[in-house]
Amino acid sequence: MPLNNERPASTSSGEDQGSDVESSSGRCDSVTSTSDLESSRESFTSDCSSKNCTPSTSPPKTLTLDEVMESARDLSNLCIAHEIVVNCNFHVEPNRLPQDSLLKMVRENVHKASWDILEAELNDDPPEYQQAIRLLEEIKEILLSFLNPGSNRMRTQIMEVLDMDLIRQQADNDAVDIQGLASYIINTMDKLCAPVRDKEIKKLRENTDNIVTLFREIFRVLDLMTADLVNFTMASLRPLLSSCSVEYERETFQKILDKTPGALDKTTAWIKLTLADLLSAEEQANGQGKGQRQMPGPFQLLNTAFLHLLTWDKNPLPETWIMDEMRLREIQWQLQRCQAVNEVLLIVHSTIGGPIQGLSSLTDRLKRMTAVLLDGMQISHFNMAEALQGVSGQICCELNKSLADRNYPILTPALQATLTGQICSITREDNPIRTLVESRVQQYFKTLIYDPKPQAKLEQVPTGLTAIQPELALIGGKFISLVNYNKMVYGPFYADIIRKLMLSSSSPAPAAAAAAAAGASPQETAQDSVTSN
């Protein structure tokens, strides 16, 4: 829940409460700025003999339960830190379970039972306060958790007013001022809450008729305040995390790799598959058996592997991309829909020709309409053929209306059938329009990923993709930002994998001879072959 005009959730007054962090606006420069490509390149090509960046693996071993749990905690911390840095809108909300879910019904029943016990005890003669004391103790701990370390005066005051030993003694003598304690709790919450919760505090002050309902609402607002405090803390820490996130994520991943040596198996398989594809393509281009095959350079191999992610349909993703899985999938889905929309528009313009040339408003309407009808095409049960039939029908209606308005003859049934057939044929992988569009989209992303300043090339789309230029530029910017950040974090790990793959795929004799000539070991020569590009 984004906070509006929010003050620190744990601030009461200048004397009572000093903030232990400085409020700063969240920024994502280290993620979204593609000018960091040089830093990315540096992290990949830096000397991996240094202690801080050398990925290391341990021989297989049996993991204890404690080691597994520690790796899980490291992974959880890594995911949270990565999300805070990469996603400027990342925030937490109070847990809201789906309506009619079993867990929600169980939780509501348990809470209802708790409130029923409180009501029954307070209605006894004389009243019982065991449940009320438990709730007050919980409220006390929550209020104390909102305080900064230097808030000694308010901490002392809360400890004195909500002194559980004193309250128990008062309960034994039926002298507990439960309404007075509730009023103090509300006043304290008013000092600690963010401005966005002022209306909620006002409602609490007005709700004095039923003490059980009042306590229920107090806990509800405390949940909101807890989420506010977490979000404020994340916003305050985001600039600091952004400045050291690359080192932190790399070191944390190395810890995970030390405990689970197979943590890069899928990443290795992904790069190995890319290497095999590049070697196979070269053999087909040069002919079988014509000379010694040329190994691709490390950056060519890695950039090609990144390009493969745009069409990666295997599960799961490489380990180094797991934390960005949803962002990558979203890019894939958006790109698939943009390609389909562009294919439909190319077919329409090539089929109808002159009568609709230069009508940008008509093209925009057809584009928006097609995009809406193809929304959700990434869903497994989405019927693409049926959706394209609907697209064809709507396009024919829109074209006939436009042609009639400008005194052109409307489309004949035969031409409508031809247009529908061509649009529906893009479901075939060998469709020439589909092949052309996919090839040029790959060309566009290849240009971005190899360019040291890709931001300048985002608007420069290949011929035939003009209709989706704004969407393509937006998708390209997101993808390049993810790739650059991924390179900076995992560059040393990729270098180590590529070095091993290249050594295993080529004859060791030339490497050994070159090492001997240079007075270096074969391992040093292999390292140079990866990092010198």
Side-chain angles (χ1 to χ4, degrees):
M1 62 190 75
L3 309 182
N4 301 320
N5 302 320
E6 183 169 15
R7 63 176 177 259
S10 57
T11 298
S12 58
S13 67
E15 182 179 359
D16 287 344
Q17 178 124 290
S19 175
D20 60 340
V21 291
E22 293 181 1
S23 176
S24 329
S25 60
R27 61 183 173 86
C28 295
D29 296 345
S30 65
V31 181
T32 57
S33 173
T34 54
S35 64
D36 289 336
L37 183 61
E38 292 305 320
S39 300
S40 164
R41 178 180 294 269
E42 192 174 310
S43 73
F44 182 71
T45 59
S46 58
D47 182 7
C48 288
S49 63
S50 65
K51 181 178 179 181
N52 292 333
C53 72
T54 303
S56 61
T57 58
S58 306
K61 64 177 182 178
T62 303
L63 298 177
T64 65
L65 179 60
D66 289 341
E67 289 175 325
V68 172
M69 295 302 294
E70 187 176 353
S71 296
R73 284 192 295 270
D74 289 338
L75 183 59
S76 176
N77 293 336
L78 182 61
C79 291
I80 293 173
H82 181 79
E83 198 66 29
I84 291 174
V85 172
V86 174
N87 184 1
C88 295
N89 298 318
F90 177 67
H91 63 279
V92 298
E93 296 182 1
N95 187 19
R96 292 186 177 91
L97 298 175
Q99 194 69 24
D100 299 329
S101 67
L102 178 60
L103 186 56
K104 181 176 182 179
M105 289 188 289
V106 170
R107 187 174 72 175
E108 288 178 348
N109 287 331
V110 171
H111 287 182
K112 184 178 183 300
S114 175
W115 298 122
D116 288 345
I117 292 172
L118 176 63
E119 185 173 17
E121 288 186 352
L122 294 179
N123 289 334
D124 281 349
D125 190 15
E128 294 288 335
Y129 295 100
Q130 291 185 2
Q131 183 71 359
I133 290 173
R134 281 194 288 268
L135 295 178
L136 289 171
E137 195 165 10
E138 186 174 348
I139 291 173
K140 173 185 174 182
E141 294 302 321
I142 295 174
L143 292 177
L144 291 175
S145 70
F146 291 158
L147 301 180
N148 287 324
S151 307
N152 296 325
R153 176 175 295 184
M154 181 168 284
R155 187 182 306 275
T156 302
Q157 187 184 72
I158 293 174
M159 296 290 289
E160 290 177 352
V161 177
L162 297 180
D163 185 341
M164 290 300 111
D165 293 333
L166 177 60
I167 293 175
R168 288 188 180 93
Q169 293 177 15
Q170 293 173 343
D172 293 339
N173 295 284
D174 192 17
V176 178
D177 183 8
I178 196 74
Q179 192 70 50
L181 291 174
S183 297
Y184 170 77
I185 290 169
I186 295 172
N187 290 334
T188 305
M189 292 169 62
D190 187 23
K191 296 176 183 179
L192 296 173
C193 74
V196 73
R197 302 300 168 204
D198 288 345
K199 291 183 179 180
E200 299 287 350
I201 299 297
K202 184 179 179 181
K203 291 179 183 178
L204 290 179
R205 295 187 192 280
E206 297 170 352
N207 188 6
T208 57
D209 297 336
N210 188 313
I211 194 66
V212 176
T213 303
L214 179 59
F215 268 89
R216 184 189 293 119
E217 288 301 301
I218 285 174
F219 272 96
R220 183 184 66 82
V221 177
L222 285 173
D223 285 343
L224 297 176
M225 291 174 60
T226 301
D228 293 344
L229 178 61
V230 173
N231 290 326
F232 172 77
T233 304
M234 287 194 300
S236 301
L237 292 178
R238 182 171 281 120
L240 177 61
L241 284 174
S242 297
S243 66
C244 60
S245 59
V246 171
E247 292 78 9
Y248 171 76
E249 290 191 34
R250 188 184 298 159
E251 291 173 3
T252 305
F253 189 81
Q254 181 64 62
K255 291 179 184 177
I256 297 172
L257 188 61
D258 291 340
K259 298 183 182 70
T260 53
L264 281 173
D265 288 351
K266 294 179 179 62
T267 302
T268 302
W270 162 54
I271 297 178
K272 186 175 182 180
L273 178 63
T274 304
L275 177 60
D277 290 345
L278 287 173
L279 293 176
S280 176
E282 185 192 355
E283 288 179 357
Q284 292 178 4
N286 299 334
Q288 295 288 343
K290 290 187 178 181
Q292 186 178 6
R293 60 182 182 178
Q294 182 71 29
M295 293 293 292
F299 277 96
Q300 179 190 3
L301 175 56
L302 186 58
N303 288 335
T304 304
F306 287 138
L307 288 174
H308 284 179
L309 291 175
L310 290 170
T311 55
W312 188 269
D313 57 357
K314 302 176 180 63
N315 280 315
L317 282 168
E319 295 90 347
T320 54
W321 281 90
I322 289 296
M323 289 181 295
D324 289 313
E325 180 172 11
M326 287 310 301
R327 279 175 283 273
L328 184 61
R329 295 301 185 197
E330 186 69 25
I331 287 173
Q332 290 177 338
W333 299 335
Q334 291 176 357
L335 190 59
Q336 289 172 9
R337 187 169 66 165
C338 282
Q339 289 178 167
V341 169
N342 196 79
E343 292 158 12
V344 169
L345 294 178
L346 285 178
I347 290 173
V348 169
H349 282 277
S350 64
T351 303
I352 307 303
I356 62 171
Q357 293 299 325
L359 299 178
S360 58
S361 60
L362 175 62
T363 300
D364 288 341
R365 288 201 304 273
L366 296 179
K367 172 182 166 182
R368 290 194 301 269
M369 181 179 62
T370 304
V372 169
L373 293 175
L374 295 182
D375 188 28
M377 61 182 292
Q378 75 278 1
I379 302 173
S380 58
H381 59 269
F382 185 84
N383 192 326
M384 188 65 174
E386 183 178 323
L388 289 175
Q389 283 283 353
V391 168
S392 303
Q394 292 293 328
I395 284 178
C396 288
C397 290
E398 192 68 30
L399 288 174
N400 284 333
K401 180 181 177 182
S402 176
L403 292 171
D405 290 344
R406 292 177 292 112
N407 297 321
Y408 280 96
I410 63 172
L411 304 179
T412 64
L415 186 56
Q416 291 187 40
T418 299
L419 182 60
T420 300
Q422 290 184 359
I423 289 175
C424 293
S425 69
I426 66 173
T427 56
R428 301 200 309 266
E429 293 186 1
D430 61 347
N431 180 277
I433 297 292
R434 175 175 173 175
T435 303
L436 175 66
V437 170
E438 291 178 351
S439 173
R440 291 187 178 175
V441 166
Q442 285 290 313
Q443 174 189 340
Y444 170 75
F445 279 95
K446 185 175 181 180
T447 300
L448 293 181
I449 210 168
Y450 277 93
D451 197 284
K453 296 181 178 179
Q455 291 290 348
K457 300 290 182 68
L458 288 175
E459 306 291 334
Q460 302 175 16
V461 299
T463 304
L465 303 182
T466 308
I468 58 171
Q469 184 259 352
E471 293 80 9
L472 210 54
L474 183 61
I475 296 171
K478 291 179 181 178
F479 182 67
I480 292 301
S481 293
L482 289 180
V483 166
N484 287 341
Y485 189 77
N486 188 274
K487 280 182 180 179
M488 288 190 291
V489 174
Y490 299 105
F493 300 97
Y494 293 143
D496 188 59
I497 293 172
I498 292 173
R499 181 178 66 249
K500 293 176 181 177
L501 287 177
M502 287 188 166
L503 287 176
S504 63
S505 300
S506 60
S507 173
S521 67
Q523 288 81 3
E524 291 172 335
T525 304
Q527 174 73 32
D528 291 341
S529 70
V530 176
T531 61
S532 61
N533 193 324

